[in-house]
Each structure stands twice: as structure tokens, then as C-alpha cells.
Amino acid sequence: MSEIVNIQGLQKCFGKFRALSDVSFTVNAGEVVGFIGPNGAGKSTTIRILLGIINRESGNAEIFGKDVWKDSLEIHKRISYVPGDVTLWGNLTGGEIIDLFLKLHGGGDKQKRDALIKRFELDPKKKAKGYSKGNRQKVGLIAALSVDSDLYIFDEPTSGLDPLMEAIFQEEVEKIKKSGKSILLSSHILSEVERLADKVVIIRQGEIVESGSLNELRHLTRSAITIATERDVAEMANLNGVFDFKQKDNLATFSADNKHLDDILMQASKLGVKKFESVPPTLEDLFMRHYEG
Ligand SMILES: Nc1ncnc2c1ncn2[C@@H]1O[C@H](COP(=O)(O)OP(=O)(O)OP(=O)(O)O)[C@@H](O)[C@H]1O
Ligand SMILES: [Mg+2]
């Protein structure tokens, strides 16, 4: 079975407020899917439905081909989850909490646990109530990463981690990915998503507005062009697919629709191209486009 997560037409209201109006996407085996969107878009709500914490009003949601609400106990044996605000039992130490979690998941990998504790520089002997936000987050991450799950669900997993620790998290996710596991990663750190995700799903106001590989998404949007020509570059401004045209002497910068690129290049060559640069949009550019409406 290649579809690990399959969500179709998910809807969810809180009272009169419609948090999800149409959410559909899939996570295939061995795939890292980046789930991004502005605050309040519905990412955590979708994830909580997947975890069987809250139920949907309509639509379908399956993990491993099983219904996330009815079969949640069975599903949970094969998944690991880390929220953005890991809460712990204050009187237990970090080490005890990690072990408790591993026990619930068939024991986990003790060697891996120890290696992760070292890598994340966690003091496992401290009581959880004494941990900082970042350290609480580390406990959740170490526990989740020490378990051999088929699906890892991360909801803002690195919130509160310093950049060094964030980089370690990314390396660990790459290891999991290499071993063929599936990952659903919701994150506001777009460089993290850009680095790790095979596919990106963008949600806005409870609806999926875009999904696909980063390459596919890039193709839909504009590239940033810098061009210098021998003759006056000004007439480029009027071409189809040219936006935000700015000129300084014979150097112009503008953004260009990829589908008009061929024509734009042809017109440019008539003016004698001396310099040409095309930079595809970053994930941040793509995101901002939807963010700004
Ligand atoms: N239990 C609840 N009761 C009422 N409204 C809720 C509840 N849970 C979520 N909401 C609302 O549903 C919307 C989606 O929230 P959700 O937590 O899914 O957003 P998010 O995409 O995870 O945002 P963030 O990036 O801030 O974590 C928000 O407007 C939120 O206020
Ligand atoms: Mg959230």
C-alpha cells in the first residue's frame, strides 16, 4: 500500500466557526510532506483529526488504510507524534518520561535513545518541571525519534529549539526519510520544509490552496529576472508575463511568468543580451503569495 495518509474533503466546525472547509491530501510511503500555512489556517486541527483527538464532521481520513477515528488505537501503535508544545509530567525526569513513552511503543531502540540524548544535549536526570521550553521539546523529539514508527507526525516540532538543535532535528529527519518512513511535517520554518519535504501542502482558512512538489509549485509562480541589454531595455516592460518592472540604465529587474519565459527571452535577444539571471521563487516567496491573499 503506497498511501500512508489519505484525507479527502475534511470539514470541521467549532460552534459556528468553520475551521476546515475542504482539506484533501495524501502522504505516500517514504514521503516527507510539508504542511504549511499561516496561523489559524487549520494545520493543528487537521493533525488532531488524524490523531483521533477530535472527530471530523464530514469527509474521510485514513492512516494505513484505517479510519483515524474508529481505528485510532491500532493506528497509534505505528505512529509517533510531536506537538509544538510538548507537555510533560512535572515530577518525572526527562529520562523517565522518554522510557515511559518507549514502553508504550514496544520498547523503542535504547541505543538510539542514548545517542539522541547525547546529540540533543539533554540532561535526562532533571525533573521535567525544571526544563525550559526547548528542553521539553527535546524530550518529545527524542522519544518520538527513538521509536521505529511507520509514520511520524510533527506539528511545529522545533518551536523553542535553538538553530543548532534545529539542524540536528533536520539531520535526524533525513535519516528517517532515508529508511523509507513517512513524515508529515507542519512547520513555520520554511527553510526546514524546503530542505526536507518532497511535497508541500499549503493550507489557508481551512482550505488547501496549493499542493505538489516544490518544483511543480515553482513552475506555477514567477521567477525573479535580472537582465542587461545593449539597446534600451524599457520596451521589455510591456511584454506579457512581465511584472514589477524596474529599470536602471540598461539593467532591468522584473518578475516573469514561467509560461511566458520563452517569448520574453526572444524579445530580449533582439535587444542584445549582455547579462541574464533567473532565480526561481523560494518556498517563502510561494508562501507569501498565498499569505498576502
Ligand atoms: N477547540 C477549539 N475551539 C474553537 N476554535 C478552535 C479550536 N481549535 C482550533 N480552533 C480554531 O480553528 C482555527 C484553526 O486552528 P489551528 O490550531 O488548526 O490552526 P494552525 O494552522 O495550527 O495555526 P498555528 O500556525 O497558529 O498553529 C483557528 O481559528 C482556531 O482558533
Ligand atoms: Mg498549530
Side-chain angles (χ1 to χ4, degrees):
M1 180 189 56
S2 74
E3 269 173 10
I4 299 296
V5 178
N6 187 354
I7 304 177
Q8 295 300 330
L10 219 54
Q11 299 196 351
K12 176 73 189 173
C13 290
F14 295 108
K16 279 192 184 141
F17 178 75
R18 185 175 281 273
L20 302 181
S21 56
D22 184 13
V23 173
S24 307
F25 66 88
T26 56
V27 180
N28 293 317
E31 206 170 53
V32 179
V33 172
F35 191 28
I36 62 177
N39 293 129
K43 301 176 296 293
S44 297
T45 302
T46 304
I47 286 173
R48 284 163 67 216
I49 290 173
L50 284 176
L51 294 168
I53 298 171
I54 52 174
N55 200 2
R56 62 202 186 254
E57 257 110 55
S58 60
N60 272 317
E62 291 180 348
I63 295 181
F64 311 130
K66 297 184 169 70
D67 186 88
V68 294
W69 182 250
K70 284 188 274 186
D71 305 320
S72 82
L73 275 180
E74 227 176 303
I75 291 169
H76 273 262
K77 291 177 190 155
R78 294 172 60 194
I79 64 177
S80 291
Y81 163 62
V82 181
D85 53 344
V86 172
T87 47
L88 305 169
W89 297 276
N91 279 322
L92 297 184
T93 67
E96 285 167 342
I97 292 168
I98 291 169
D99 285 346
L100 198 64
F101 187 83
L102 296 198
K103 243 183 225 158
L104 293 173
H105 279 78
D109 182 339
K110 302 269 162 30
Q111 245 174 322
K112 191 150 185 218
R113 173 201 64 189
D114 294 341
L116 285 166
I117 287 176
K118 223 170 164 180
R119 279 213 86 189
F120 280 107
E121 296 174 16
L122 178 79
D123 177 358
K125 295 198 183 76
K126 254 195 181 170
K127 285 207 171 161
K129 59 185 168 200
Y131 280 140
S132 64
K133 153 88 177 137
N135 280 331
R136 285 198 299 276
Q137 214 56 30
K138 288 179 190 178
V139 170
L141 286 172
I142 292 167
L145 292 166
S146 301
V147 171
D148 185 31
S149 291
D150 294 315
L151 171 68
Y152 296 79
I153 298 178
F154 298 116
D155 190 1
E156 314 277 345
T158 55
S159 76
L161 290 192
D162 65 50
L164 223 63
M165 293 300 145
E166 198 186 297
I168 289 172
F169 168 76
Q170 291 177 11
E171 283 170 28
E172 293 300 328
V173 168
E174 273 173 339
K175 284 185 201 164
I176 298 176
K177 180 180 165 173
K178 275 206 188 103
S179 70
K181 302 305 175 71
S182 308
I183 296 159
L184 178 61
L185 169 68
S186 172
S187 173
H188 282 127
I189 302 171
L190 296 180
S191 58
E192 185 169 283
V193 175
E194 203 157 15
R195 171 169 167 190
L196 298 171
D198 303 298
K199 193 167 91 185
V200 175
V201 176
I202 304 178
I203 186 172
R204 185 165 180 261
Q205 294 177 351
E207 266 181 68
I208 304 302
V209 290
E210 198 117 272
S211 73
S213 74
L214 209 50
N215 266 340
E216 284 166 350
L217 297 190
R218 278 194 176 121
H219 206 73
L220 296 171
T221 48
R222 295 167 191 166
S223 301
I225 309 279
T226 305
I227 191 167
T229 52
E230 267 163 36
R231 288 177 285 285
D232 190 9
V233 75
E235 65 184 76
M236 302 280 304
N238 303 319
L239 296 176
N240 279 335
V242 170
F243 301 89
D244 311 320
F245 187 88
K246 288 189 194 81
Q247 180 178 357
K248 192 168 181 263
D249 302 326
N250 267 352
L251 186 79
T253 57
F254 55 89
S255 56
D257 265 347
N258 284 319
K259 65 174 180 202
H260 291 290
L261 217 50
D262 191 37
D263 188 46
I264 291 169
L265 275 173
M266 215 123 79
Q267 296 303 320
S269 71
K270 288 181 190 161
L271 300 173
V273 177
K274 292 174 81 180
K275 174 186 168 161
F276 182 83
E277 252 176 45
S278 167
V279 181
T282 62
L283 183 55
E284 189 158 339
D285 295 332
L286 293 174
F287 185 77
M288 289 311 269
R289 218 171 53 115
H290 287 293
Y291 213 163
E292 290 160 351

